Amino acid sequence: MAVNIHPTAIVDKKAQLGEDVEIGPYCVVGDQVVLGDRVKLVSHVWVGGDTSIGEDTEIRPFAAIGGKNQDLKDKDKKGKLVVGKRNSIREYATMQPGTPDDHNITTVGDDGLFMIGTHIAHDCIVGNHIIMSNNATLAGHVKVGDWAIIGGLSAVHQFSRIGHHAMVGGMCGVARDVVPYSLVSQAGVEGVNIIGLKRKNFPLSTINSLRKAFDIILSNEGNLSERLATLENDFKDVEPVMDILGFMRADNKRGFMHAAVKQK
């Protein structure tokens, strides 16, 4: 099928456009850009740099995708941005390419919703089925697991990790790693992301095991290594708990979000 390009759009002749691509009024597409089949740039969208957008992704007005990152150490600005399939990228969202200090690439998975004003900085690795609410932002080198949700006006510190199925509430400052399946508020880790897991049809028995595991993780008994050893011993047949164990043992350089302080 033919590509549909509005006469006011500026599309470099070297750009690679898939089938049924729609490029609306006043969009700009650079020479290294690859747009997959049925990608839709609604209007006033800027896509530049070494950027690839997966099929069936829709990008709304005034989003700026690719181009130069904001890392002052990267003078050449030749990194790559790869965005997956079926994403919804809303107004004023920004996504930036990688740097030589990492793997020179920023990756965004499939089936994500990136709401108004969201920002994904250089060298981030963002999974599938991610929701970032309005004005949620990721600093450089952040990793976000599948099915995670980041609430509006939240900011994630560079090099932090957010585990899969975690929920970060609105207006949170995330300066440490967020373990999988957890619920984080401004006060800290509240426990298990129960509502999110129920919506994903997790069995009640698994949710209860996760609740018991979080009681151990967030307790003050022994040190963290001892608490993780307890998890390994008591929940070795519960895969989500083993996911948490693997996440926490894989990298603890930034530490982990603390338990929420309960109001008296």
Side-chain angles (χ1 to χ4, degrees), residues 66-141:
K68 293 183 178 181
N69 60 58
Q70 297 175 130
D71 186 343
L72 298 179
K73 301 186 302 300
D74 182 9
K75 304 302 182 184
D76 293 334
K77 308 291 185 185
K78 293 182 178 179
K80 185 176 182 64
L81 170 66
V82 177
V83 178
K85 304 174 183 178
R86 299 177 300 278
N87 287 291
S88 176
I89 302 173
R90 296 302 303 265
E91 294 82 356
Y92 298 98
T94 54
M95 298 180 180
Q96 297 179 348
T99 69
D101 284 347
D102 206 321
H103 299 295
N104 222 39
I105 186 170
T106 300
T107 59
V108 178
D110 302 333
D111 300 296
L113 171 57
F114 303 94
M115 297 186 192
I116 294 169
T118 51
H119 174 66
I120 297 175
H122 59 87
D123 303 294
C124 287
I125 300 174
V126 179
N128 302 315
H129 304 283
I130 303 302
I131 297 176
M132 291 179 64
S133 296
N134 293 4
N135 298 299
T137 59
L138 307 181
H141 312 278

Side-chain angles (χ1 to χ4, degrees), residues 6 8 13 62 78 84 94 110 113 126 136 177 186 237 252:
H6 193 273
T8 61
K13 294 180 180 179
F62 304 106
K78 293 182 178 179
T94 54
D110 302 333
L113 171 57
V126 179
D177 290 350
Q186 296 177 53
D237 296 325
N252 58 10

Side-chain angles (χ1 to χ4, degrees), residues 178-214:
V178 176
V179 300
Y181 307 101
S182 63
L183 172 65
V184 173
S185 71
Q186 296 177 53
V189 181
E190 300 284 353
V192 181
N193 179 20
I194 295 174
I195 293 176
L197 298 184
K198 285 182 176 179
R199 288 174 176 171
K200 300 296 184 301
N201 298 314
F202 275 70
L204 182 59
S205 59
T206 299
I207 294 173
N208 287 333
S209 292
L210 283 166
R211 294 177 69 175
K212 294 175 183 177
F214 270 89

